[in-house]
Amino acid sequence: MRKANIRNPRYPHTIKIVRVLVGKADENDPFADDDAKVGDDTEIVIYEGEGRSYTDTTTEGGKNVDENKRKVSIPVRYDEWDAGRCPLDGDMIYATVGNNAEVGMVKDCEPDNNRTVVYWDFTRV
């Protein structure tokens, strides 16, 4: 029998979650934040580090585009997130799985034991 070293880390993927704060279209933009600058979008990195991305076994094919329901497990307890820094619906998520980069949009997150589970949509183009 051939011996083999099996390396199976709990969190083998690289995860990055970014929140984009959209700047004002003009000075009188009623929908922008008061402190937003005109035409200047700001990216805030919510999380960058290890994680585990996996499929939630659901694929939808509406409008002729396949979209996977995905989850990512992040080794951060829910009570360890700084105020206003927990992943929210609309944040962008980047998952590097081996040599593949997956980009999607966060839909929800919830606590689970000693980790945070983030639900997101991955559109296959």
Side-chain angles (χ1 to χ4, degrees):
M1 183 184 289
R2 193 169 90 189
K3 290 186 178 182
N5 274 340
I6 297 174
R7 186 175 175 274
N8 188 13
R10 176 118 176 105
Y11 297 105
H13 307 140
T14 302
I15 308 298
K16 182 177 179 181
I17 300 174
V18 176
R19 182 167 300 148
V20 178
L21 301 176
V22 179
K24 293 181 181 180
D26 61 51
E27 279 297 326
N28 300 320
D29 187 350
F31 302 106
D33 292 330
D34 291 336
D35 56 349
K37 296 177 182 166
V38 175
D40 188 21
D41 296 347
T42 306
E43 285 190 354
I44 299 172
V45 176
I46 301 298
Y47 177 81
E48 187 168 14
E50 63 183 9
R52 180 170 37 93
S53 179
Y54 52 99
T55 303
D56 195 22
T57 67
T58 304
T59 300
E60 295 177 355
K63 299 181 184 172
N64 300 321
V65 177
D66 286 341
E67 186 173 84
N68 285 106
K69 304 296 182 189
R70 311 279 307 211
K71 292 181 185 177
V72 69
S73 176
I74 297 173
V76 177
R77 286 175 44 101
Y78 208 69
D79 59 355
E80 292 174 347
W81 290 99
D82 293 334
R85 300 289 278 197
C86 190
L88 297 174
D89 183 15
D91 290 346
M92 295 301 296
I93 186 166
Y94 302 87
T96 304
V97 180
N99 292 328
N100 299 314
E102 301 175 348
V103 179
M105 187 172 291
V106 172
K107 292 300 177 186
D108 196 8
C109 77
E110 67 180 5
D112 184 39
N113 293 332
N114 287 327
R115 65 185 181 145
T116 300
V117 177
V118 178
Y119 298 88
W120 61 289
D121 288 343
F122 173 56
T123 304
R124 297 187 178 275
V125 180

